[in-house]
Amino acid sequence: MRFSIALIPTLKEAPVEAHTVSHRLMLRAGLIRPLGSGIYTWLPVGLKILRKVEAIVRQEMDAAGAQEVLMPAVQPAELWRESGRWDFYGKELLRIRDRHDREFCFGPTHEEVITDLARRELKSYRQLPVNFYQIQTKFRDEIRPRFGIMRGREFLMKDAYSFDMDAEGLEVTYRAMHAAYTRIFKRCGLSFRPVEADTGSIGGSSSHEFHVLASSGEDVIASCTQCDYAANLEKATSAMPTASDSDPGNSATMRLVSTPGKKSIEEVSAFLNLPQSHLVKGLVVEAGGRAHLLLLRGDHELNLVKATNALGLGTVQIPEPGRIAELTGGLPVGYVGPVGTSLPILADRALEQLTSFACGANQPDHHFTDAAWERDLPKPAFADLRNVQPDDPCPRCATGRLRLDRGIEVGHIFKLGDKYAKALAVSVLDPDGQERTPIMGCYGIGVSRVVAAAIEQNHDDNGIIWPVALAPFEVEILLANPNDPLSVQTAETLYAGLTAMGITALLDDRDDRLGVKFKDADLIGCPLRVVAGGRALKEGKVELQIRRGGDPMQVPVSEALVTIREKLAAHALMEQS
RNA sequence: CGGGGUGUGGCGCAGUCUGGUAGCGCAUCGGCUUUGGGUGCCGAGGGCCGGAGGUUCGAAUCCUCUCGCCCCGACCA
């Protein structure tokens, strides 16, 4: 591509509303332009990157035996009513009416459509297992779109849906997808991690997320420093710490102490001169239409997903501050505790080991100290309710410790079970001629999000640093002096030579100063930069520079093509290891 | 949806408090200059100041309504 005639509208400054690195760089490098909240046009260079990701995904899905289809973006409401999601899905579902006033939605996902296809076309166990996928535009009417492409409303997604005869079959398919995803992100040259995930509202028995590691990631993932245990924070658990870690081992009798105005754990801890780990905090939550008291160690943090799962009463909600007083009979926030409360109690399992602790006294401005289970209050039910913390012991191996990293979720695989197949009455005949409901799995990759995530992970102050596998062009040739015939000839020869070798190149042939071209080249971030012309050419050489870093090198013009090919190959190999 | 902010040439902003008919930098176009890190100079084009209504002799500026966008929160593969 020739820069001079291409639409590559680079910007010195990004619009103020763009804060995220990838959002700013995508705008500045001229990859995308906004059209509305959470919707973007992909410009020529940006589209090339998107297509690179698509191609890798497509190749690996095909190689894993999945079949590509393309389903409608617009789906009849009837189908969604059949699965029960028309009412359940909420406002995120963009609903539309046609001229006959019939209801439709713009698909945020395609379980219904694929399941409808399956019930029409799949009749026999001989047709299974099958796995269908598509790469398609989705629309989810997010409450608050943000971070540019990262969390847009319209986005490009690869979604796949598998049908197996039984759980064993699904297990095989699921593993194949796990392996395919691993190959995909590896080939993209990204640093990533598959983690165990909570199955959440979609249900199903098993789930893994694939996260691109980036300090700006929205999600927190825990992983073991010794073994391969990794899970997202919602799901991650730890081995029980040994009792001596936190237990004060105090047998003094329980005392009521005055703690005027001391509401937070920090305040109470400082006031009573006790470590936060010797305090028990009470959190009033609502679930299943009534209030519950959750107990956590003072230095621990509530995990809402775990609490929801443990209570088993539907979503656990944290009430508004005013509402808490209502639920506790007018008690100010900060003094709720387990001693003498009328609320049902669920305690984090870490508390079981505490032989004595301080806690709110259920009266304003007072706490108890040296409270002990069974002596001062009955032992409540215990469950894992907290977020793991760095250095917690690994739940899987004996020796490892957990570390926490930030990640961007780019892929998610699910064992769906028979939820949709049952709702839409899919059945196939088994070898005995009996009707059976197939077991489904679903597998998503946020294709457009991968582009943004790659930038979040690979950039510096000057711009994007593309992995070779995703780069819009593998090489950018800077024509140093457009008015010098020898420079022009060198650049053109290189450009033609690279093209003939199947190496994609961007030729910056604009009538501009070299400095301008350097800036744009850094911004756009092609893996290898070649300067044709200028001082190197005086000695019959061109200058090569790897965008990721290192010293520029000068090579004779005659050797340039071969050297470029070698460097790119070596670089790509390094990125995918 | 709750709270906060913001809308002025393509982008970044000033002007709004204290009404007098719109300005700066970048970008764009023309010319000269420069030519290895967003060169310097001269000149030009481009804005019904988000929209509607109101107050006023006069509104970017004051009032009312409305729309878009951004941030925080809750929510979310």
Side-chain angles (χ1 to χ4, degrees), chain A residues 339-416:
Chain A
V339 181
T341 183
S342 58
L343 299 174
I345 299 177
L346 183 61
D348 182 67
R349 57 192 188 138
L351 296 182
E352 195 162 8
Q353 302 170 338
L354 276 185
T355 52
S356 83
F357 51 85
C359 59
N362 290 318
Q363 45 182 298
D365 296 334
H366 285 82
H367 282 75
F368 285 120
T369 59
D370 300 300
W373 301 123
E374 288 171 332
R375 186 190 67 190
D376 302 310
L377 72 166
K379 265 199 178 187
F382 292 99
D384 182 9
L385 296 179
R386 73 181 187 94
N387 287 333
V388 296
Q389 294 171 330
D391 219 34
D392 277 351
C394 172
R396 189 155 300 167
C397 70
T399 55
R401 294 273 160 175
L402 296 182
R403 55 173 290 173
L404 299 186
D405 292 285
R406 295 204 150 261
I408 299 163
E409 184 190 349
V410 288
H412 201 158
I413 59 180
F414 269 105
K415 289 183 187 171
L416 267 185

Side-chain angles (χ1 to χ4, degrees), chain A residues 85 110-119 122 128 130-132 160-167 169-171 173-174 202-206 413-426 437-443:
Chain A
R85 288 162 112 191
H110 281 70
E111 280 84 6
E112 281 79 3
V113 180
I114 197 70
T115 309
D116 179 67
L117 181 74
R119 71 178 163 187
L122 301 181
L128 269 46
V130 277
N131 191 353
F132 299 111
Y161 307 88
S162 69
F163 297 84
D164 276 277
M165 282 305 286
D166 50 35
L170 174 57
E171 183 61 32
T173 305
Y174 188 83
I202 292 196
S205 56
S206 180
I413 59 180
F414 269 105
K415 289 183 187 171
L416 267 185
D418 61 6
K419 179 177 172 183
Y420 295 96
K422 253 194 178 138
L424 301 198
V426 186
T437 304
I439 308 295
M440 292 175 64
C442 74
Y443 318 92

Side-chain angles (χ1 to χ4, degrees), chain A residues 540-573:
Chain A
K541 294 177 175 174
V542 292
E543 179 187 285
L544 269 48
Q545 165 85 59
I546 295 282
R547 175 64 179 89
R548 208 175 276 281
D551 295 326
M553 64 180 289
Q554 305 212 333
V555 298
V557 173
S558 58
E559 297 170 21
L561 288 176
V562 175
T563 310
I564 288 169
R565 182 165 61 186
E566 284 169 359
K567 288 203 96 98
L568 275 177
H571 200 59
L573 207 60

Side-chain angles (χ1 to χ4, degrees), chain A residues 95-104:
Chain A
R95 295 154 213 258
I96 9 184
R97 285 172 188 273
D98 71 3
R99 68 201 306 164
H100 304 295
D101 218 28
R102 282 193 283 253
E103 293 178 296
F104 292 83

